[in-house]
């Protein structure tokens, strides 16, 4: 499909998807750096905070991914992306008007509904625009936007919260979405391949889902990505609160340092992982699943050490290195999935991945870590979060195993799929 467009337009489109992902993750992650002032004002427990940063967003983000993905596989993708951006931006702004736990919970649900239209739709478009040999790098560039969004959510959120309060912070970070929606409306063309295929017969939806889940590579990678997200998202959502409680950092300090360490490391890893996977799969196609497996395995001791050490500078440095490795997973994972599924199921495959990573990783992780912290608080006090984060990190071994296991099926599966 990419041959139908100029290289300049393809680069512009990838850059636009990158910015959309930046806005999505900034609006999603800014809550993490605002946890302490919100907790203090509303008198919330760690378990309630875990629900706000987890299930409030993840449940509807995951569930709405299915109908939106079906529309993305057969409907107007340009319109879907535009409406999604406007909706999640509006819900982010409404988060700043919340007066209690229920109001904030509902607003975060709305953010999840809106953002559910971003990942499956952009993922399917990139898979069609880029051939398999360049797909892992393109996916890595797109997903690097998530780490930039994390950085901006932490850094900008920390400074804005100290200067203007947590409510105004939500209003300000919601604004860029309006500009991006206008860019989509006035500069994005309707994809040519989709325009041709819109009137062709489609596989029944349940049949398509069963077909995707029967694929051993896809099934193992979904499980692996879900538990990998559990470990990494649990860290991302709770680490700022941990550094404030255990290391005495301010909002701006933790926003800047953790944002740079975690976000910067992840950004490097996403591009590096995509590049390495593209190179290694020329020798053996299964390396596109082995790269994430090795990266996850190496990251575990780094995560554990970062929470165990007493020096915050050393801890941040180790988090940076660990984030490089966990970041290496994203591009190869998304590219590998697109290699082994039929083209008409690309957005749906992304939605299934979105559902499980959201429910297990984005939804469960913050709540489980918060619950463990509450349970350990009588014994460890404010240090309970340190041990909760270490316990939650161990599940990344399940992710590593699943990616290693998928490698033996990969070559056979790719040969049965028509690109």
């Amino acid at each position: 499909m990419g041959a139908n467009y100029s290289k300049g337009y393809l680069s512009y489109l990838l850059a636009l998807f990158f910015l959309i992902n930046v806005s999505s993750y900034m609006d999603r992650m800014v809550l993490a750096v605002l946890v302490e002032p919100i907790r203090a004002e509303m008198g919330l427990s760690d378990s309630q905070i875990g629900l706000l940063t987890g299930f409030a967003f993840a449940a509807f983000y995951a569930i709405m991914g299915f109908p939106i993905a079906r529309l993305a596989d057969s409907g107007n993708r340009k319109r879907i992306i535009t409406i999604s951006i406007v909706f999640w931006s509006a819900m982010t702004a409404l988060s700043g008007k919340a007066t209690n736990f229920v109001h904030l919970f509902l607003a975060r649900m709305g953010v999840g509904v809106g953002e559910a239209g971003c990942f499956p739709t952009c993922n399917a478009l990139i898979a069609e625009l880029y051939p398999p040999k360049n797909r892992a790098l393109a996916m890595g560039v797109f997903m690097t936007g998530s780490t930039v969004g994390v950085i901006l959510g932490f850094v900008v959120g920390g400074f804005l919260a100290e200067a203007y309060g947590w409510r105004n912070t939500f209003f300000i970070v919601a604004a860029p979405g309006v500009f991006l929606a206008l860019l989509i409306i006035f500069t994005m063309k309707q994809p040519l391949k989709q325009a041709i295929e819109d009137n062709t017969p489609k596989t029944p939806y349940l049949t398509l889902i069963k077909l995707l889940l029967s694929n051993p590579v896809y099934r193992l990678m979904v499980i692996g990505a879900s538990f990998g997200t559990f470990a990494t998202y649990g860290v991302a959502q709770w680490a700022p609160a941990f550094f404030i409680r255990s290391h005495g950092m301010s909002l701006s300090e933790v926003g800047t340092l953790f944002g740079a360490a975690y976000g910067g490391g992840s950004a490097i890893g996403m591009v590096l992982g995509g590049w390495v996977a593209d190179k290694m799969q020329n020798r053996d196609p299964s390396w596109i699943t082995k790269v994430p497996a090795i990266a996850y395995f190496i990251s575990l001791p780094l995560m554990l050490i970062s929470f165990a050490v007493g020096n915050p500078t050393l801890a941040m440095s180790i988090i940076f290195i660990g984030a490089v490795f966990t970041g290496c997973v994203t591009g190869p994972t998304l590219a590998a999935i697109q290699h082994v599924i039929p083209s008409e199921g690309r957005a749906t495959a992304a939605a299934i991945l979105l559902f499980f990573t959201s429910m297990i990783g984005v939804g469960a992780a913050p709540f489980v870590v918060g619950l463990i912290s509450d349970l350990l608080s009588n014994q460890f006090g404010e240090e309970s979060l340190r041990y909760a984060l270490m316990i939650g990190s161990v599940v990344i071994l399940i992710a590593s195993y699943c990616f290693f296991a998928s490698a033996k099926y990969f070559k056979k599966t790719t040969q049965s799929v028509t690109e």
Side-chain angles (χ1 to χ4, degrees), residues 282-369:
N282 291 331
R283 303 179 185 179
D284 180 353
S286 66
W287 269 102
I288 202 168
T289 65
K290 292 177 182 176
V291 168
I294 294 170
Y296 270 147
F297 187 78
I298 294 174
S299 69
L300 176 58
L302 295 170
M303 295 171 72
L304 294 176
I305 293 170
S306 69
F307 296 119
V309 298
N311 186 312
T313 302
L314 178 59
M316 289 290 187
S317 300
I318 297 171
I319 283 176
F320 171 80
I321 298 171
V324 171
F325 283 101
T326 56
C328 285
V329 172
T330 306
T333 300
L334 297 179
I337 286 173
Q338 297 297 340
H339 285 355
V340 299
I341 59 173
S343 60
E344 71 168 306
R346 281 172 171 157
T348 299
I352 295 173
L353 176 68
L354 186 75
F355 177 82
F356 285 102
T357 56
S358 296
M359 295 305 292
I360 296 174
V362 179
F367 174 71
V368 170
V369 172

Side-chain angles (χ1 to χ4, degrees), residues 391-410:
I391 292 170
S393 299
V394 176
V395 299
I396 209 166
L397 288 176
I398 301 174
S400 180
Y401 170 79
C402 288
F403 278 98
F404 270 122
S406 70
K408 67 178 182 179
Y409 300 106
F410 187 79

